[in-house]
Amino acid sequence: MAQVTLKGNPVPLEGSIPKPGDKAPDFKVAKQDLSDISLKDLAGKVKILVAVPSLDTPVCAIETKKFNEKVAKENGITTLIISGDLPFAMKRFCSTEGIDSDNLITGSQFKDFSFSKNYGTHISGGPLAGLSARAVFVVDKDDVVRYTELVPEIGSEPNYDTVLAEAKKLV
């Protein structure tokens, strides 16, 4: 079981982080239109799976916008931002921020925590209990994890350039 911090305070996580070479665990999240999307629905695509606590926080908003800017220009890479936000809030955020990309999808865990629990990012205690820690997973076309980054401090951003470089190797 991994652990991260929030403003320097330990935050316990539930589950195990998949390692490069592991088969990516399946999951189900709700898209903005309330339809479900799972790993199986993204079969045959290079995927960047981005776990964030909530798009209503400054770092999560910045991260989503940066991934949209960087990945929207790339062919063959699909980014899925997964948070605890309701699909309606995600839709409002994307509309307000001008995020309308076929390469970036938002997914909500509001009714199914299989992503954060299967990927070891589920916060099991403290003020953010039930949300996901900040992490990024690059998954190849055969659903094998090729890169993982669990951001040690929830209030920090991931290494965008490394994530994108790892994903580009797989296209």
Side-chain angles (χ1 to χ4, degrees):
M1 182 177 349
Q3 187 171 310
V4 294
T5 59
L6 175 62
K7 298 180 183 176
N9 297 309
V11 175
L13 302 180
E14 181 180 324
S16 299
I17 304 286
K19 297 178 218 47
D22 289 351
K23 189 74 171 166
D26 200 12
F27 60 85
K28 182 170 62 173
V29 293
K31 296 191 312 185
Q32 293 176 12
D33 65 1
L34 299 178
S35 66
D36 291 334
I37 188 168
S38 70
L39 185 67
K40 293 175 200 163
D41 296 317
L42 302 171
K45 298 178 181 182
V46 173
K47 299 157 280 290
I48 300 174
L49 307 177
V50 182
V52 299
S54 171
L55 298 179
D56 277 334
T57 64
V59 176
C60 297
I62 289 166
E63 183 176 359
T64 301
K65 289 186 273 188
K66 282 188 179 178
F67 272 116
N68 183 60
E69 289 168 12
K70 293 177 181 293
V71 180
K73 301 170 192 163
E74 300 297 325
N75 288 323
I77 300 173
T78 298
T79 302
L80 178 58
I81 307 287
I82 301 164
S83 79
D85 297 299
L86 290 173
F88 316 110
M90 297 175 117
K91 184 174 184 176
R92 183 177 60 248
F93 172 84
C94 289
S95 176
T96 300
E97 297 300 332
I99 297 171
D100 183 25
S101 170
D102 291 334
N103 294 336
L104 188 131
I105 303 164
T106 57
S108 171
Q109 293 199 121
F110 86 102
K111 58 184 175 177
D112 187 322
F113 296 106
S114 58
F115 180 84
S116 61
K117 289 186 176 186
N118 291 344
Y119 284 76
T121 64
H122 193 78
I123 298 173
S124 60
L128 298 181
L131 295 175
S132 178
R134 189 175 314 284
V136 183
F137 304 89
V138 176
V139 179
D140 70 15
K141 294 175 183 179
D142 297 318
D143 293 338
V144 174
V145 176
R146 295 298 175 192
Y147 174 81
T148 64
E149 180 182 350
L150 176 63
V151 180
E153 168 59 45
I154 291 175
S156 297
E157 296 174 61
N159 187 329
Y160 303 104
D161 293 336
T162 300
V163 171
L164 191 55
E166 292 296 324
K168 283 180 169 183
K169 289 180 192 177
L170 305 172
V171 178

